[in-house]
Amino acid sequence: MPDAGDQGGDPLFDAPVVEHRNEIFKNRDLVDTDHVPDADRIIGRDEQIEQVAHEIGALVVGEPASSVLIFGKTGTGKSLVAKHVMGRVEAEADRRGVSVGTAYINCSQTDGPARVPRNIGRRINPPESGVKFPSRGISTDEYYERLWSILNQHYDGVAITLDEVDRLRDDSPLMILSRARENGSIDIPISIVAISNKIDYRNQMNERTKSSFGHREYVFDPYDANQLREILRNRSDAFHEGVIEEGVIPRVAALAAKEHGDARKGIELLFSLGKYAIRNDYDTISEEDVPKVREMAEAERLRDLITGLPAHSQHVIGALAALTISNSDEGWFRTSKVLDAYKKLCNEHAVDPVTHERVRQLLEELSFLEITESRNQHQGSKGQFNEHTLNKPPEIIKQIYRETAP
Ligand SMILES: Nc1ncnc2c1ncn2[C@@H]1O[C@H](COP(=O)(O)OP(=O)(O)OP(=O)(O)O)[C@@H](O)[C@H]1O
Ligand SMILES: [Mg+2]
């Protein structure tokens, strides 16, 4: 309930204010997956932390260090370990009077190759340098030139994390950065930590780039239920004492273990459980709430994902859901079948369908987002065709589509 101080306030903010002052959460950050937890909350990754530190650690004395590639499925602590080690490198170098710049770049948020040097430049550019990294008006090469000059003048070493590196449209930044010292662009040591959750990205990488990483690759294994239980238990002081009933953490951990050992899923579910308790005015969270809240949270996430897509992508997904439901023994559908179902839906919604070619593109984009999956099939002399399947529960998709279709 809002307290006296809120009376007369704008009711629009009642719910968010209540959610922030409550009997459930004591320290909400601990269940926020963007929050980087302190060292003592990182569970079961000591070996990986040591390995990465070992590769890039010489930077703290300004000596040449290696670059590394980190692979592993989503939610296995790759970004966490990289951020943690980078923080410690910077602090230790500082303590030793060595100036090491660190920059963390998420490549999924950068659209062209110029963004990478520009963002690194902006992160490490000291205010007194007088150099600018403007949003536009200079070439990619010029961004690199400015970056090299900042590094040469102000730093004894640099460590750059390129997270979700597979999302770069081309891997030129990877190549340029990893070879900058060798090519004489900079005269300080540079280490790159490149991270991907696509294990096959390794095979897509250009040989020269791979070799500049010296084939130093680490694969982070998914967490098992025991590790997840420990990670989650360590976050349980996000809640006030006594809020989480016995059995909740093991149940959440078991579910996250099933979802290929994804710690993020587990932490998100704890957060959703807390919000659910607040909304329903419960004092405690019980084991029975876990599967129910998980289903609700998954549906909510899917709804956000789907309603954020272009209109015709939504019709294509609606079509795949309808096909999947009416052909329960199949699951995979040829492009032509998806097209027919799509046109039928367009007709029902009185919208003009887009071209076949465009639907093919939309299917490609949907599979990139991992909402659907596509595969190429061969059929003897008849040649090849593509098939598509829905990666999400069709009933839930159908319901979302029914309620929100444009
Ligand atoms: N060993 C761990 N101890 C404590 N918390 C962890 C651990 N591993 C991961 N987490 C937490 O789980 C969430 C996901 O971890 P992280 O972002 O590092 O995953 P990732 O491997 O980078 O996944 P993605 O491939 O999706 O980017 C984060 O909130 C992180 O703090
Ligand atoms: Mg990550």
Side-chain angles (χ1 to χ4, degrees):
M1 276 282 121
D3 65 26
D6 293 322
Q7 275 169 20
D10 185 341
L12 181 62
F13 300 104
D14 281 356
V17 167
V18 169
E19 284 196 11
H20 273 271
R21 269 189 238 142
N22 61 76
E23 312 276 297
I24 298 291
F25 288 120
K26 185 169 73 185
N27 183 358
R28 181 186 297 249
D29 273 355
L30 294 178
V31 283
D32 173 355
T33 54
D34 289 336
H35 167 81
V36 182
D38 294 339
D40 57 353
R41 294 192 188 273
I42 304 179
I43 311 292
R45 284 293 183 237
D46 292 348
E47 196 186 319
Q48 288 77 0
I49 290 172
E50 271 166 34
Q51 284 164 337
V52 177
H54 186 80
E55 300 294 358
I56 70 172
L59 285 177
V60 305
V61 285
E63 291 296 328
S66 310
S67 289
V68 281
L69 294 166
I70 300 177
F71 295 102
K73 288 200 171 154
T74 184
T76 53
K78 302 179 298 298
S79 302
L80 173 61
V81 165
K83 287 179 185 165
H84 174 76
V85 175
M86 288 293 176
R88 285 175 71 175
V89 164
E90 203 173 305
E92 179 62 13
D94 199 44
R95 199 184 65 81
R96 292 169 182 264
V98 175
S99 159
V100 173
T102 66
Y104 172 89
I105 305 293
N106 189 324
C107 300
S108 70
Q109 289 153 9
T110 60
D111 55 9
R115 285 250 185 140
V116 174
R118 184 172 77 209
N119 287 352
I120 299 170
R122 287 181 175 172
R123 301 270 155 80
I124 63 167
N125 192 9
E128 69 275 14
S129 76
V131 178
K132 295 266 183 297
F133 289 87
S135 297
R136 51 177 64 93
I138 67 172
S139 65
T140 304
D141 285 350
E142 180 59 26
Y143 284 118
Y144 279 110
E145 287 308 321
R146 292 185 187 188
L147 178 59
W148 307 146
S149 96
I150 297 283
L151 289 172
N152 286 330
Q153 281 177 42
H154 301 275
Y155 291 97
D156 304 318
V158 61
I160 296 165
T161 306
L162 295 176
D163 205 348
E164 304 192 28
V165 67
D166 50 278
R167 305 293 286 267
L168 286 174
R169 297 251 158 90
D170 76 274
D171 64 3
S172 63
L174 206 54
M175 189 125 90
I176 295 169
L177 291 166
S178 60
R179 300 190 157 241
R181 185 178 164 97
E182 240 174 273
N183 292 344
S185 307
I186 52 173
D187 51 20
I188 59 163
I190 182 167
S191 280
I192 313 289
V193 176
I195 305 174
S196 172
N197 57 23
K198 307 252 178 318
I199 307 268
D200 17 316
Y201 183 68
R202 254 190 296 199
N203 310 327
Q204 289 170 34
M205 278 174 88
N206 166 327
E207 262 318 305
R208 281 181 53 206
T209 315
K210 250 199 278 191
S211 86
S212 61
F213 277 82
H215 299 278
R216 287 180 186 78
E217 299 176 357
Y218 295 99
V219 177
F220 285 20
D221 290 329
Y223 297 113
D224 61 28
N226 288 330
Q227 288 172 311
L228 288 164
R229 210 176 305 147
E230 233 189 300
I231 291 172
L232 296 172
R233 251 194 234 299
N234 197 290
R235 305 289 178 103
S236 51
D237 50 332
F239 299 90
H240 285 291
E241 192 116 5
V243 166
I244 299 202
E245 286 179 11
E246 184 103 11
V248 170
I249 298 275
R251 190 73 185 265
V252 174
L255 284 172
K258 262 210 235 152
E259 305 207 32
H260 60 253
D262 182 345
R264 184 182 292 108
K265 277 273 160 66
I267 295 171
E268 276 171 359
L269 183 49
L270 277 187
F271 189 29
S272 301
L273 282 160
K275 287 191 292 190
Y276 172 79
I278 292 170
R279 260 181 237 140
N280 292 288
D281 223 358
Y282 296 158
D283 302 331
T284 57
I285 296 166
S286 74
E287 195 184 332
E288 291 78 63
D289 295 330
V290 175
K292 197 165 52 194
V293 170
R294 189 182 88 118
E295 217 168 275
M296 281 164 42
E298 177 68 6
E300 208 173 299
R301 210 182 57 78
L302 265 180
R303 181 179 302 260
D304 288 348
L305 186 68
I306 289 171
T307 54
L309 291 171
H312 285 276
S313 298
Q314 297 187 37
H315 295 308
V316 171
I317 297 178
L320 254 176
L323 280 173
T324 312
I325 291 166
S326 52
N327 301 276
S328 54
D329 50 339
E330 287 180 40
W332 286 88
F333 304 95
R334 293 173 69 146
T335 313
S336 55
K337 261 197 137 175
V338 179
L339 263 168
D340 290 344
Y342 158 79
K343 283 189 199 149
K344 201 169 141 222
L345 283 183
C346 284
N347 193 24
E348 280 169 23
H349 287 88
V351 292
D352 289 333
V354 295
T355 63
H356 293 196
E357 187 44 38
R358 181 74 190 126
V359 170
R360 275 191 199 100
Q361 282 170 5
L362 293 175
L363 280 163
E364 228 172 81
E365 285 167 26
L366 289 170
S367 92
F368 184 74
L369 292 170
E370 294 172 353
I371 299 172
T372 64
E373 213 176 305
S374 300
R375 67 182 182 195
N376 192 261
Q377 295 287 85
H378 297 264
Q379 198 181 48
S381 57
K382 288 194 195 136
Q384 308 182 8
F385 56 89
N386 287 326
E387 285 187 328
H388 315 275
T389 191
L390 197 60
N391 261 345
K392 310 285 175 194
E395 297 290 352
I396 296 180
I397 299 280
K398 188 178 169 188
Q399 194 185 337
I400 295 172
Y401 178 74
R402 200 186 302 132
E403 289 166 17
T404 65

